[in-house]
Amino acid sequence: MKRTFLFKTLSILTIWLYSVSMVYGGQVMTQNERTWARQVIEKTDLNQDISKIASPNTLAVLYYTNKTGKPELNPLEKGLAVMLSYDLSKIDTIQVIERIKLQALLDEMKLDASAPITSKNAPKIGRLLGAYNLTSGAILTGMKAPLELQPYVIDVSFNNKAKLPTTSGKTDNLVRMEKKILFSITDQLSIYLTDEEKADLKVPMSKSSAALTALFIGIDHSDRGEYEQAAAMYRQAISKDPKLQLAHDALNELKSMGMAAGGNGQPNGDDGQFEDDSINTWLWVAGGVAIAGVAALALGGSSSGGDSGGSDTDTGGDGGGGGDTGLPVVKPQITSTVPAQGSAQTVPCDGGQLQFSFNKAMDPASSVGIVFSTPHTNADDPKWSGSTPSWTSAGKILVVNYSSELLCTSGSPDTMNVTISGAADSDGAFMDSQTFSFNVELP
């Protein structure tokens, strides 16, 4: 009896792990996806009945279109698709097309990723992706809330576009709004969900809006081939929410492919995850550990607390470097800024220079993530961007020049937030993300 139970348990876990690796795939565009997209475009008969090239349960989640005129909301275009794909992939009765295939197809067709799907191009995109149904939407400025989302579902066979109920709120309410869209999609597609499935779908990918935003920006960097910038944003996402697994997976994928610092089967010092030569190997190793744990339980073994304690140690192993010595790792951190943040001295709104002093010498080759933001969300507010940072004083001072992309006015925000992440010292220890607020000098 015990052997039968153990065999079934191992079988189920093996199938589950294989399914997860197939569903989530990766976030890095490879030659395989590019070749697939090229062949699909060349060989697909766009006049063919969709039922001959796609199953009725296939669904492609397309990017949303930002119609607000607010560039700070651009990360939600891909972000909403990532969140919805992540949740919809949990439903056994739906086959969700991998996001990276959508990106490969858009790249090959030279289409704007944020361009809205219309009645003219929907049948073509659906057939090329092999998707019977499409879902996407628009990001709007609400009448009573700063953010409104208008989702819809397209039946490719009839080219029928069905608008779903809108949802609105603040950007901090993104998870709640995404869940509302999720269940409106399942209702539109007449998908039956058990109470257990509904409860599982209500679990958020992350409760941190800052972590999710950093993840979305990282994915967009990766799609553009900007892998070090992507890695920096993934690290920032992890620093905001260490339990955001998709950020861990994406960062490990970059490292395993040699596109970011780390890899080669070494313990990672910045996100507490183990890296191997390929993300698939990492998935199977992790699955083996899980299977071994369940097998021990099935055989009546008592190892409670052992695995849990190991996990806590891994998550807390942030910093890297010096791990073999048993000595505590001293993470690099910024100790002062010029101008001093929050002081009476202000920084020019239209542009200037910032200096960040570190407590130890840093590696000039490490990828530094710099994000400018403001506590305000007015469409006509200036949007700051920074130049490529440089190091002085033997790697102890980071110099960043910034400029405003829009005109500064007397009604502009009086605070500029700058988030620094991703920098590593010569031992490979990564800094925790740090945010600084500067007073802005207005005209």
Side-chain angles (χ1 to χ4, degrees), residues 422-434:
D425 63 20
S426 56
D427 295 324
F430 284 87
M431 67 175 290
D432 287 332
S433 174
Q434 293 180 251

Side-chain angles (χ1 to χ4, degrees), residues 52-85:
K52 296 182 179 180
I53 54 179
S55 171
N57 71 334
T58 47
L59 173 68
V61 183
L62 309 184
Y63 301 144
Y64 273 55
T65 303
N66 181 11
K67 296 184 177 182
T68 65
K70 301 177 181 179
E72 63 268 25
L73 296 180
N74 286 345
L76 298 186
E77 293 181 330
K78 289 185 180 180
L80 284 164
V82 169
M83 294 174 73
L84 289 169
S85 296

Side-chain angles (χ1 to χ4, degrees), residues 131-144:
Y132 209 92
N133 298 287
L134 308 175
T135 183
S136 185
I139 304 170
L140 310 169
T141 301
M143 297 293 292
K144 298 181 180 180

Side-chain angles (χ1 to χ4, degrees), residues 164-329:
L164 305 182
T166 60
T167 178
S168 59
K170 299 179 180 179
T171 52
D172 290 342
N173 304 134
L174 180 63
V175 171
R176 176 187 60 80
M177 291 188 283
E178 184 268 339
K179 295 302 182 184
K180 183 175 180 181
I181 295 174
L182 168 67
F183 289 111
S184 68
I185 292 173
T186 57
D187 288 344
Q188 177 65 28
L189 297 179
S190 300
I191 297 171
Y192 171 76
L193 299 172
T194 65
D195 291 340
E196 290 79 10
E197 287 175 322
K198 290 179 181 178
D200 185 35
L201 291 173
K202 289 179 181 179
V203 177
M205 178 187 291
S206 172
K207 294 182 180 180
S208 170
S209 297
L212 289 172
T213 300
L215 170 66
F216 303 155
I217 295 174
I219 289 175
D220 188 55
H221 276 305
S222 181
D223 288 344
R224 298 172 187 272
E226 301 164 350
Y227 301 120
E228 287 294 345
Q229 293 94 321
M233 296 312 300
Y234 293 149
R235 293 186 184 104
Q236 182 171 329
I238 293 168
S239 72
K240 296 293 184 182
D241 181 3
K243 295 182 180 180
L244 182 48
Q245 190 59 47
L246 192 56
H248 285 289
D249 293 344
L251 181 57
N252 280 326
E253 181 185 18
L254 285 178
K255 292 179 178 179
S256 68
M257 299 176 74
M259 296 175 175
N264 300 322
Q266 299 300 317
N268 178 24
D270 54 48
D271 61 355
Q273 296 289 324
F274 187 86
E275 300 174 274
D276 211 330
D277 290 335
S278 72
I279 194 66
N280 287 333
T281 303
W282 180 87
L283 282 169
W284 283 108
V285 169
V289 173
I291 291 173
V294 174
L297 290 175
L299 294 172
S302 58
S303 59
S304 72
D307 289 341
S308 181
S311 177
D312 290 342
T313 301
D314 288 344
T315 302
D318 195 5
D324 294 337
T325 66
L327 298 176
V329 176

